[in-house]
Amino acid sequence: MTHVFHPTLLREYDIRGVVGDTLSTADAYAIGRSFATLVARAGGKRVAVGYDGRLSSPMLCDALIEGINAAGIDALNVGLGPTPMLYYAASTEDVDGGIQITGSHNPPDYNGFKFVMLGRPFYGADIQRIGQMAAAGDWEVGEGATQSIDIIDAYVDRLVEGFAGGAYRVGWDAGNGAAGTVIEKLTAKLPGEHHLLFTDIDGHFPNHHPDPTEEKNLADLRQLVAEKRLDFGVAFDGDGDRIGAIDGEGRVIWGDQLLQIYAAALLQDLPGATIIADVKASQALFDRVTELGGRPLMWKTGHSLIKAKMKETGSPLAGEMSGHVFFADRYYGYDDAPYAAVRLIEAATKLGQSVTELRGNMAPMVNTPELRFQVDEVRKFAIVDEVLERLTAAGAEVDRTDGARVLTDDGWWLLRASNTQDVLVARAEAKDEAALTRLLAAIDEQLALSGIERGPQAGH
């Protein structure tokens, strides 16, 4: 028995497709069987499985577990919940890996799979291996058993373990995503006053798309914070591993700005610690970490890559512009948005300032949202190489960590190839509008030299 996946399904950090088109239950079975075979050959015996609130998730979960069991591996089904709840199970239960079925922040007809194996991120070549094994029918044969457990209360208890924050008035927007029930249970355990939006888990996402990095999706939260005069508001993506936030005045606190707040609190306890952020983060963050006595480290975009770098460097805190925040000082080092919300309350308490003051104290920067350019999949990395070659020849100051991040007197600009889509991603940040215009002109010039024109842009 062999199985061939649709060529678009196996991505850099996860497996993702359109249900009924590029993704089916047969795919889920093959994914389960390949992953379980890898676990079996590494001496493992059991895999944790969880799923998000999408309409197709229970069906894919059944097929996935069937595949896991067919390779002779037991499945521990933790049921419906956010991705970090599955990561929690993989960290605390007697299992050798975990799979979360989730479409994350993609449209409702998408779904996919995120993995962890033997306590490490599972991505890149690991995911390609699943495809190779399925195509070859290189699978173990056996009869595993399945056990279902309810882990949600233990997970929520862990979120508030050792909580050292004060009482605030907070708005929470779960966006009808998988974190809804967790947010209800979590806020019941926190001091202060909590106002909740859209905590009913609904795979149609009837209120707004569950992606808090797009400002338009924060409109309901902004209205709630204004009407109730709340201290701040937090929002979550479809599977609860990315956080968005606004302050009491309705200003967005972007991922790199949240990281400034977390770093200020954490470095009081762990002076000199390494704080990691991705290449899309503001220069203001790296400068602030240095100012606070920490060691800033710029790294490649991608939650799996950041997690691996944290393990390698012993970093207690990392984050991405996209709202993935990773705490390893009093937690497990994975991206957990409900936990990040708890830590925001703690940070404001520790720093003795309101979230609004902390946001207001940040140096104003003029920057673009993430700009995306559709390009041919086979050209995207080649274009970045061409740009790097030209910049080097011109003697520009370039950081090559992930694409080209160019530092000039006006500020900086970035051009990188997306690992998950057929797009180039650009971003620029300057001290004023005139400088930003010059940076964007520099990006346009480089794209034009490689035959790409900047068209109408998607948002942040």
Side-chain angles (χ1 to χ4, degrees):
M1 183 180 172
T2 61
H3 182 84
V4 177
F5 297 110
H6 191 277
T8 62
L9 206 57
L10 307 178
R11 310 290 182 102
E12 178 66 15
Y13 312 122
D14 52 29
I15 294 177
R16 206 180 329 143
V18 180
V19 178
D21 180 8
T22 60
L23 176 61
S24 68
T25 50
D27 293 315
Y29 174 89
I31 289 162
R33 192 140 180 205
S34 292
F35 185 82
T37 295
L38 288 171
V39 168
R41 289 174 184 170
K45 293 181 170 54
R46 192 158 76 143
V47 171
V49 175
Y51 58 88
D52 74 6
R54 287 168 187 261
L55 307 179
S56 57
S57 293
M59 158 186 95
L60 292 173
C61 184
D62 290 345
L64 180 78
I65 287 174
E66 194 185 330
I68 291 168
N69 290 162
I73 292 293
D74 294 342
L76 181 69
N77 186 352
V78 302
L80 171 61
T83 295
M85 187 172 90
L86 181 276
Y87 292 156
Y88 171 75
S91 302
T92 58
E93 296 292 322
D94 181 20
V95 294
D96 307 290
I99 306 175
Q100 174 79 0
I101 296 165
T102 175
S104 186
H105 59 282
N106 286 288
D109 54 345
Y110 276 74
N111 217 327
F113 307 81
K114 290 181 179 175
F115 306 86
V116 61
M117 185 172 172
L118 300 171
R120 65 169 182 83
F122 185 93
Y123 64 99
D126 298 322
I127 286 173
Q128 295 308 314
R129 183 93 186 96
I130 281 182
Q132 292 154 8
M133 291 169 73
D138 178 17
W139 288 332
E140 294 294 323
V141 178
E143 283 183 37
T146 300
Q147 178 193 359
S148 294
I149 63 166
D150 187 347
I151 201 171
I152 192 164
D153 289 328
Y155 167 60
V156 172
D157 284 344
R158 181 62 184 86
L159 294 176
V160 295
E161 190 178 294
F163 177 72
Y168 291 87
R169 302 177 66 245
V170 186
W172 304 68
D173 182 350
N176 301 110
T181 309
V182 166
I183 297 308
E184 289 174 358
K185 288 175 176 281
L186 171 62
T187 51
K189 289 179 178 286
L190 291 171
E193 187 184 312
H194 302 281
H195 298 265
L196 277 48
L197 292 174
F198 318 135
T199 55
D200 51 316
I201 299 172
D202 184 341
H204 293 105
F205 306 118
N207 293 290
H208 62 74
H209 194 59
D211 182 357
T213 60
E214 291 213 22
E215 200 163 343
K216 64 184 182 190
N217 297 325
L218 298 172
D220 295 307
L221 181 62
R222 194 174 258 148
Q223 188 181 340
L224 175 71
V225 168
E227 279 176 8
K228 306 274 188 191
R229 298 186 173 173
L230 303 180
D231 295 319
F232 63 94
V234 287
F236 306 91
D237 73 339
D239 68 327
D241 61 3
R242 296 191 305 139
I243 188 172
I246 59 169
D247 72 1
E249 293 176 12
R251 293 175 295 195
V252 178
I253 312 172
W254 298 110
D256 52 359
Q257 294 174 322
L258 280 170
L259 207 55
Q260 283 192 49
I261 296 172
Y262 295 132
L266 180 132
L267 287 165
Q268 288 188 11
D269 296 330
L270 299 170
T274 298
I275 312 289
I276 301 174
D278 72 331
V279 293
K280 292 186 283 191
S282 168
Q283 191 58 40
L285 165 66
F286 298 106
D287 293 347
R288 179 74 176 131
V289 169
T290 301
E291 191 184 301
L292 291 162
R295 284 198 296 269
L297 175 63
M298 190 188 296
W299 194 238
K300 298 172 184 177
T301 292
H303 63 94
S304 299
L305 302 171
I306 296 267
K307 278 183 257 203
K309 195 67 178 173
M310 285 180 85
K311 282 210 149 132
E312 181 193 317
T313 59
S315 164
L317 172 66
E320 293 188 83
M321 267 311 288
S322 58
H324 289 280
V325 186
F326 313 81
F327 291 95
D329 61 324
R330 293 158 33 208
Y331 206 57
Y332 304 97
Y334 53 72
D335 34 344
D336 185 326
Y339 185 68
V342 169
R343 290 291 288 254
L344 185 57
I345 296 170
E346 287 196 342
T349 307
K350 190 176 188 74
L351 297 168
Q353 289 180 289
S354 70
V355 170
T356 305
E357 286 170 328
L358 291 165
R359 170 67 177 81
N361 292 342
M362 291 179 192
M365 288 281 185
V366 185
N367 51 33
T368 65
E370 205 170 273
L371 307 171
R372 292 169 169 263
F373 316 96
Q374 201 78 30
V375 292
D376 194 309
E377 183 73 37
V378 296
R379 276 281 287 148
K380 67 181 184 185
F381 290 107
I383 290 168
V384 172
D385 288 340
E386 290 163 18
V387 170
L388 282 166
E389 210 170 288
R390 287 193 293 266
L391 291 167
T392 305
E397 191 178 336
V398 187
D399 184 296
R400 296 165 168 260
T401 300
D402 184 3
R405 180 166 163 145
V406 185
L407 202 57
T408 78
D409 291 341
D410 284 324
W412 62 271
W413 61 268
L414 169 76
L415 186 71
R416 60 178 288 274
S418 167
N419 282 312
T420 54
Q421 293 166 293
D422 52 350
V423 294
L424 290 172
V425 178
R427 192 164 184 248
E429 179 178 75
K431 45 190 183 249
D432 57 43
E433 289 291 350
L436 188 67
T437 302
R438 290 191 291 272
L439 293 174
L440 286 170
I443 295 172
D444 286 343
E445 181 191 0
Q446 288 297 334
L447 287 170
L449 287 168
S450 287
I452 303 292
E453 197 178 325
R454 183 156 64 97
Q457 292 313 316
H460 220 290

